[in-house]
Amino acid sequence: MKNTQILCDYDCNIHIGTNVSINMNCTFVDCNKIQIGNNVLIASNVQIYTATHPIELSERLTSNWTPESKAYFYQTYALPVKIGDGCWIGGGVIVLPNVTIGNGSVIGAGSVVTKDIPDNCVAVGNPCRILRKINQV
């Protein structure tokens, strides 16, 4: 029996289909919905993030913040992630907020997925880019 460890924030925003294999040491920051389809393979050390923040410092910091305010000193929000049916996510892949990986796609090990990947593609790199179409019968 294999001991698989998955770290997550809330554990209530992760929706996993059938026949899904998630290997060890994965991190799912589920401040928003993470949807994983059916027949998906997720390798070791994959990180899926839904939490994000504004890029501009003036938008990121809470104006007039003080420790007594009991508010966070920075502004954050979260956007969903969707991984379609039949995907294979290679080891060490990082999937950023608001990304959809289309059905049947393969993401190469070590990739950083910053934008949507269409159905039936092999995509690799940082930032992740489409190499070619697959599953064309």
Side-chain angles (χ1 to χ4, degrees), residues 27 45 97:
T27 301
N45 301 308

Side-chain angles (χ1 to χ4, degrees), residues 88 93-94 99-101 105-134:
W88 176 14
V93 166
I94 299 172
V99 164
T100 295
I101 299 173
S105 287
V106 175
I107 308 298
S111 296
V112 178
V113 187
T114 61
K115 296 182 180 175
D116 290 353
I117 303 297
D119 292 352
N120 301 306
C121 290
V122 173
V124 300
N126 179 8
C128 192
R129 295 183 180 143
I130 298 166
L131 283 184
R132 64 185 175 97
K133 294 292 272 179
I134 56 174

